[in-house]
Each structure stands twice: as structure tokens, then as C-alpha cells.
Amino acid sequence: MQRCLELAALGAGNVAPNPMVGALLVHNDTIIAEGFHEQFGRAHAEVNCINNVPAELYQLVKESRLYVSLEPCNHFGKTPPCTDLIIKHKIPTVVIACTDPFEKVNGSGIKKLKEAGVNVITGIMDTAALELNRRFFTFHKKQRPYIILKWAQSNDLKIASSDHTRVMISNELTNRLVHKWRAEEAAIMVGSRTALQDDPSLTTRLWPGNDPVRIVIDKNLELPAHLHLFDKTVPTIILNNLRQEEDGNNNYYKTGNNENIIAVTISILRLRNLVSLIVEGGATLLQSFIDLGCWDEARVITNKNMNIGNGIAAPVLKNEVLIKKEQLLDDEISIYRNAAGSL
Ligand code: AOF
Ligand code: ZN
């Protein structure tokens, strides 16, 4: 199963909103074929694994165990059900890490296999499997995207100077890492003041990978059109109170005046099948997510050699658990999880 998870991870960045899935066939104690879900809309892990069995070994399939990191699907999606394939090839035993919470599967794959007489073993390395696909599992189990909060702060816990002018807090290496983080998420969000003061692009130009869909709050459509966010190079959702229309890549979304902007954001992301969101500021927006308890992970960059003095205070986490700390030159990068965020 460890190997299945390694194979699954090879699909990172190419399969969302689908999960990363790996599979392998073992005859006695020998792996005879491996496969993984490589591309959204294309073959599932089980299909690739079975197709990879060398012709001269095919007669062993009906005596082999199939290991797969997610319950085999049982629905016609972009591809036919993997359960039918397993039954057709007479695979006697299937070992699964965890069930698929997707409403069209959700235990029905396991049920179908058992009814067909397949020996099904579940719960093998399920914690690691949940961790690997935490975005997918959060999306389907909690009906909201996986939410990552990110900010950079000075050693005296400020994120900007008091006149809001942009201060470069993190170093060039860290900035590259942040672009990698962006490439791993489906959507990215900032508040209006951050859009105005920092004029961020929110792209992944320092790292290979896809740009996330951008989301910006601009209640009264007062932000200037020349901002990078409005350059139409990337699909961008503009949450506002005035306009509902599409203008190229710029998608104006009208929210009710008093509506909770976080709830609106979540419902839009659900509708569009965007399974994860990274929020990059400012302090007010980040703090709103924290106060609602609506976050899964926080990535806090602290420049130990910078003090801003009079400035904008960094957000304050609640209910956080530190899971990792690393140093990149002067920057200390702390990764927290929400203690209430288990799957
Ligand atoms: C599997 N093996 O490798 C993956 C599965 O639109 P489709 O046909 O690609 O189906 C997508 C759904 O299938 C996805 O939401 C998830 O429930 C499951 N993914 N299932 O048996 C795989 N990637
Ligand atoms: Zn499948």
C-alpha cells in the first residue's frame, strides 16, 4: 500500500478535482504490474495497472491481489466502473486503503465487489491515504474546499507597515516555495485592500504548474482596472455587490449585501468543483476564516531578521497544532493544522 501511495502521488497537479490513486497487482510476493491515475478525465489507476500486466504474465492475474489506495469506483463517470473491470478479470482479492466518499461511489464499489465474491480488505494505511488526498476527502466529506491560510510576518508579528505600503518580508527562495504552493491548489483568494496595496498577480510564474483560479473581494467595484488581478490571463472571480457577468476571464459574481463572504466563496468553489483554496491575505480576511474555524492548514512565514515596528498586526490562529517547522535562509516556515480538522 505504501507503494500504491507513492504511485498515486505521481498524479499530483494533474488529476484534481479527482483524487490521486495508485494500484498494483501482487502475485505471491511479487509485484507484476503497477498503475496510477495520471490525468483528469483519463483512465483510473486500476485500468492502467491491469493494462500494464506483461502479456506473458496475464494468466497470473486471476491468482493475484489488487492493491488500490482508494475504493474502486462503481459508476459511469468519464470512465466505466473499475469494479466491473476487476470482476471481469477475476481478481480474487482487493486490498483498499479507504472508501471513496464521492456520492456516486461511497461504499457501493466495495459492496459490488463483495457481492461478486471478491475478497475485500479495507483500512490498510488509511491515515496516510486520507492525508495524501486531504483536499478531495475534505471536499466530499465536509462539502467545502480544503482551506489553507498563508501569510508572511516580521519577527514582531506584523504583515505590513502602518501606512499599508508593501514590505517584502519573505526572501526569494521562500517566494519560489509559495509559487509551488499556489500550483498545488485549485483557487487562491485575497481581500480588496491586499489587491490594491500589493497589486499581486497570484500566479505560479516562479514554479512550473497551473495557476489557481483567482478570487478577489471588490464590494463596490472600486479597485482600479490596471491591477494585475484583472489582466484576464487567469480565470478570476470578482465578488461584488453590483455586477453579475463574464468579461473574458473576469467573472463578476454578485453577492447579496449582507451575505457572509466566506460562505459565498465556499458555495462558488463547490459549484465549480474547485477542491482547495489558499488564502493569501490580508489580515482581516485571514482572521475571518480563523474566527469561523473555517480553515484546515496555516502556513506562516516569519522573517526572524526583520522588525516592522508600527504596522498591521498579523492574524492570530486559534486551535492550531504545529506540525512542521523549517528554515529557508532568514525565514522560518511554520505549518499548522486546525485541531478540529480531522477527516
Ligand atoms: C477509482 N480509481 O484511479 C480514481 C477514482 O469522471 P471519472 O470517471 O474519472 O470518475 C471520477 C471519480 O472516480 C472521482 O470523483 C472519484 O470518486 C473516483 N476516482 N476511482 O476507482 C481511480 N481516480
Ligand atoms: Zn475507477
Side-chain angles (χ1 to χ4, degrees):
M1 193 55 81
Q2 175 73 51
R3 178 65 187 148
C4 281
L5 294 173
E6 285 172 14
L7 291 165
L10 297 175
N14 298 318
V15 299
N18 278 354
M20 296 169 260
V21 184
L24 50 88
L25 273 162
V26 176
H27 183 261
N28 294 334
D29 279 332
T30 304
I31 295 174
I32 60 167
E34 299 182 328
F36 65 99
H37 185 39
E38 297 175 17
Q39 191 76 46
F40 176 77
R42 305 272 282 277
H44 284 180
E46 300 90 321
V47 178
N48 287 330
C49 177
I50 291 171
N51 286 342
N52 284 339
V53 177
E56 67 276 18
L57 297 184
Y58 181 74
Q59 81 281 0
L60 301 180
V61 169
K62 61 182 186 311
E63 302 163 9
S64 297
R65 279 172 173 224
L66 177 72
Y67 285 77
V68 53
S69 59
L70 184 76
E71 172 185 8
C73 70
N74 191 34
H75 68 292
F76 286 87
K78 295 201 162 47
T79 63
C82 290
T83 47
D84 290 347
L85 185 79
I86 292 166
I87 294 165
K88 186 178 118 192
H89 288 275
K90 303 191 167 57
I91 297 170
T93 303
V94 176
V95 185
I96 299 167
C98 46
T99 52
D100 183 348
F102 179 51
E103 57 182 0
K104 291 185 178 157
V105 185
N106 205 11
S108 70
I110 293 173
K111 188 162 173 273
K112 168 106 171 253
L113 291 174
K114 283 186 173 165
E115 282 168 4
V118 178
N119 176 26
V120 182
I121 300 163
T122 56
I124 306 301
M125 293 194 70
D126 51 345
T127 308
L130 287 170
E131 170 70 14
L132 176 70
N133 279 310
R134 57 196 189 278
R135 294 162 181 81
F136 172 80
F137 287 111
T138 300
F139 194 75
H140 292 284
K141 289 189 174 184
K142 300 188 175 173
Q143 272 81 49
R144 65 160 174 80
Y146 187 82
I147 297 172
I148 299 169
L149 309 179
K150 174 251 147 181
W151 70 86
Q153 61 189 19
S154 57
N155 193 45
D156 58 348
L157 309 184
K158 304 288 163 47
I159 63 159
S161 58
S162 50
D163 60 2
H164 291 279
T165 49
R166 184 175 198 176
V167 184
M168 280 315 292
I169 296 175
S170 50
N171 65 55
E172 278 182 30
L173 271 183
T174 309
N175 296 344
R176 203 161 281 231
L177 174 65
V178 168
H179 284 221
K180 174 176 185 283
W181 290 347
R182 289 174 176 176
E184 290 164 352
E185 310 313 331
I188 187 165
M189 182 177 194
V190 290
S192 56
R193 192 186 280 161
T194 301
L196 183 66
Q197 308 287 347
D198 291 359
D199 190 13
S201 302
L202 305 183
T203 59
T204 58
R205 63 201 177 279
L206 303 176
W207 194 267
N210 297 327
D211 291 321
V213 170
R214 305 185 288 205
I215 304 173
V216 59
I217 305 170
D218 184 12
K219 276 193 177 139
N220 299 314
L221 295 177
E222 288 165 340
L223 288 174
H226 62 73
L227 293 182
H228 288 124
L229 280 177
F230 301 133
D231 63 15
K232 298 184 184 169
T233 56
V234 179
T236 303
I237 297 167
I238 301 135
L239 302 176
N240 73 94
N241 286 336
L242 304 170
R243 199 171 153 194
Q244 174 94 27
E245 68 176 305
E246 282 188 22
D247 173 13
N249 261 336
N250 288 348
N251 185 186
Y252 292 87
Y253 191 97
K254 192 171 170 183
T255 64
N257 218 346
N258 295 316
E259 275 202 77
N260 174 344
I261 207 76
I262 292 179
V264 172
T265 305
I266 287 172
S267 65
I268 295 173
L269 293 172
R270 282 186 59 188
L271 274 173
R272 295 182 181 221
N273 246 346
L274 297 168
V275 294
S276 64
L277 171 70
I278 181 163
V279 185
E280 288 212 15
T284 311
L285 183 63
L286 289 162
Q287 195 66 51
S288 318
F289 278 91
I290 296 167
D291 292 345
L292 278 176
C294 195
W295 63 284
D296 297 286
E297 202 170 313
R299 300 177 180 175
V300 183
I301 299 157
T302 309
N303 182 336
K304 292 302 213 182
N305 281 336
M306 177 188 279
N307 285 303
I308 289 181
N310 206 0
I312 311 293
V316 180
L317 289 170
K318 290 175 194 156
N319 222 7
E320 79 278 17
V321 185
L322 179 68
I323 60 155
K324 193 169 148 198
K325 198 177 253 198
E326 63 180 329
Q327 196 78 26
L328 262 186
L329 305 177
D330 288 347
D331 293 343
E332 184 180 87
I333 300 168
S334 304
I335 311 286
Y336 301 90
R337 291 284 173 89
N338 187 339
S342 66
L343 283 164

